[in-house]
Amino acid sequence: MNSSTDQLKLAILQQIAAVPAGYVSSYGGIAKAVGYPSYSRFVGSLLKTLPKDTKVPWHRIVNAQGKISFPMDSPAFNEQKKRLENEGVVILKGKISKQYFFNF
DNA sequence: CAGGGGGCTAAGG
DNA sequence: GCCTTAGCCCCCT
């Protein structure tokens, strides 16, 4: 606890929480926003460890290509897609337009 | 200390 | 558009 990476995790979670409903961001985008552009993978693995009752809007995070980073057949994929569409994000051919990406 | 892997990315073919 | 390659960085074996 309280190591530099723990602090970074906090910062990342905060940054994700800062993404408004109806918008999305990428793993790398979040990483960059907290000052660590090369931590994209770390962001991903961090989200994976979140409890399912977390308040963090993990579903607003997609990869840089604007696609959901889960296999199409997985439950997680459907869950994320559903939540996003619920918030007004349109997904065409499995892809989210750049216009939905939130700019910090 | 080495190895493998993950909700990644950008660049090439 | 798809696949591969090469960086990337933390974490668990």
Side-chain angles (χ1 to χ4, degrees):
Chain A
M1 287 293 284
N2 269 351
S3 67
S4 55
T5 60
D6 287 315
Q7 295 298 299
L8 180 55
K9 291 178 184 177
L10 272 256
I12 290 172
L13 293 180
Q14 270 182 172
Q15 196 63 45
I16 292 174
V19 178
Y23 286 87
V24 299
S25 188
S26 67
Y27 303 89
I30 294 294
K32 205 186 308 180
V34 295
Y36 293 81
S38 58
Y39 278 54
S40 51
R41 298 192 79 168
F42 182 54
V43 172
S45 22
L46 174 57
L47 290 188
K48 182 171 192 173
T49 66
L50 293 176
K52 57 180 179 183
D53 61 3
T54 181
K55 58 169 177 50
V56 180
W58 55 270
H59 56 281
R60 295 187 194 137
I61 309 302
V62 296
N63 66 30
Q65 311 161 50
K67 299 198 305 185
I68 294 175
S69 281
F70 282 117
M72 287 226 331
D73 48 32
S74 75
F77 176 93
N78 295 308
E79 173 67 15
Q80 181 167 7
K81 184 181 177 210
K82 185 178 174 185
R83 290 198 184 195
L84 289 177
E85 292 179 330
N86 239 349
E87 297 179 345
V89 177
V90 176
I91 304 177
L92 276 181
K93 320 279 203 256
K95 189 160 144 278
I96 299 168
S97 165
K98 282 286 179 193
Q99 65 178 75
Y100 289 103
F101 278 72
F102 182 67
N103 247 307
F104 292 110

